[in-house]
Amino acid sequence: MAKPGFEKRLRDFLGSEEFEETINGFLSKHAKMVCRESETYQGQGEFSIEVHAVWKDYLNMIEGCIEKFQETEGLTEVEFKRSVEDVADRAPMMVKLMIASWEFGQFAEVCKDYLENEETMRDEDDDHCDSKQDDDGYDSKREGKDEK
């Protein structure tokens, strides 16, 4: 059985920077194609073979991450499952959200959110780059505007 504090360690794992970076790395390679293909097949209840293969790769990646966590906990598959079920009794929403991320529709939403977030980040970077001040407070965007 899991050691005391399993729920907190599971939460910490799912919210860890390493786990997020793994997912973001995967999404950076595949999200655009998944969204493009998902829009093509939207409403038809089916998706291209390529998108299905990417989703399966995503599931395998998530499963691999969870298996590593399970190993660090020193739990067998059965013990891990029981421990997660115990967490589900106390924090059902956390486990529901974790499991929901394994469904294709949720995966497509994650891809869409990733692309929207990336676009927002690029826009913020572009705004920041539009006006650059050097160490002396010189603003390259204002050059020549104060001179009359």
Side-chain angles (χ1 to χ4, degrees):
M1 206 58 179
K3 297 175 213 120
F6 175 80
E7 182 178 338
K8 180 182 180 338
R9 289 189 305 278
L10 180 61
R11 284 179 194 268
D12 290 347
F13 164 74
L14 294 173
S16 71
E17 194 171 312
E18 180 182 352
F19 188 61
E20 184 176 345
E21 286 174 0
T22 300
I23 292 171
N24 284 339
F26 184 89
L27 294 175
S28 72
K29 295 175 188 167
H30 303 289
K32 192 176 285 188
M33 185 274 287
V34 169
C35 288
R36 183 181 62 245
E37 292 287 319
S38 296
E39 288 175 7
T40 301
Y41 290 90
Q42 193 171 28
Q44 298 177 21
E46 53 188 60
F47 299 91
S48 71
I49 293 170
E50 293 84 7
V51 170
H52 191 273
V54 169
W55 178 52
K56 288 294 192 182
D57 289 345
Y58 173 78
L59 293 176
N60 288 333
M61 179 200 63
I62 295 295
E63 183 178 309
C65 291
I66 291 174
E67 284 174 358
K68 285 180 188 175
F69 175 75
Q70 173 190 329
E71 289 170 9
T72 63
E73 289 291 307
L75 299 172
T76 66
E77 286 183 38
V78 171
E79 291 170 330
F80 182 76
K81 184 179 180 215
R82 283 188 191 139
S83 298
V84 171
E85 288 170 351
D86 289 344
V87 170
D89 290 341
R90 292 185 307 277
M93 187 55 75
M94 181 178 102
V95 175
K96 283 180 186 177
L97 290 172
M98 183 175 81
I99 293 170
S101 72
W102 303 336
E103 296 174 0
F104 181 81
Q106 189 65 31
F107 169 66
E109 280 298 311
V110 167
C111 289
K112 181 181 172 192
D113 291 347
Y114 174 82
L115 289 177
E116 288 173 356
N117 186 46
E118 285 295 300
E119 187 174 305
T120 300
M121 296 288 281
R122 271 194 306 275
D123 289 347
E124 289 174 2
D125 285 346
D126 289 346
D127 290 345
H128 177 73
C129 291
D130 284 347
S131 178
K132 294 184 179 180
Q133 289 188 355
D134 64 15
D135 292 338
D136 297 327
Y138 175 76
D139 187 341
S140 61
K141 196 170 184 179
R142 294 195 43 84
E143 184 175 353
K145 289 187 178 179
D146 291 336
E147 299 171 12
K148 296 203 177 178

